Amino acid sequence: MVVHRKFVGKIPEKLEPKQAAPLLCAGVTAYSALKQFKNPDKVIKAGILGLGGVGPLGVLIAKAMGHHVTVISSSEKKRMEALEHLRADAFLVSSDAAEM
């Protein structure tokens, strides 16, 4: 099978196509939604619902755009990943009425 390294953008030589595929799918999905709110003069507060497939890339892209990011999850299990690993600004548990 022939894989072309240039169809959406240039894929770096060090990145295997199987590693690039999620970035092109989930990454484009997250970026497309966030780019409409890009405003260099104003920090936007973005909420990312869940850290499943698209969620982590959504957090990373939103932070790279300079947004204030809150991750909303159904339980505490993803708090450390959201705040420490992905550097979200805040974390809310959707089942906690007081937080919401």
Side-chain angles (χ1 to χ4, degrees):
M1 173 168 69
V2 176
V3 176
H4 296 282
R5 290 195 161 272
K6 190 173 183 183
F7 66 97
V8 172
K10 183 156 176 40
I11 298 172
E13 290 295 325
K14 293 180 181 180
L15 190 62
E16 291 294 321
K18 66 183 177 186
Q19 295 170 313
L23 297 174
L24 295 173
C25 182
V28 168
T29 299
Y31 177 77
S32 295
L34 290 164
K35 76 174 182 176
Q36 63 187 319
F37 299 106
K38 184 151 175 58
N39 181 347
D41 300 326
K42 186 176 181 184
V43 173
I44 302 297
K45 291 186 176 183
I48 304 293
L49 184 57
L51 289 181
V54 178
L57 283 174
V59 174
L60 294 172
I61 292 169
K63 289 299 293 178
M65 291 176 152
H67 296 319
H68 178 278
V69 178
T70 298
V71 171
I72 304 166
S73 186
S74 60
S75 73
E76 286 283 335
K77 290 188 279 186
K78 300 283 184 152
R79 183 179 292 274
M80 183 181 294
E81 179 183 356
L83 298 174
E84 294 181 21
H85 299 284
L86 298 173
R87 301 285 190 224
D89 298 292
F91 183 89
L92 297 173
V93 176
S94 61
S95 60
D96 185 333
E99 282 192 9
M100 295 302 290

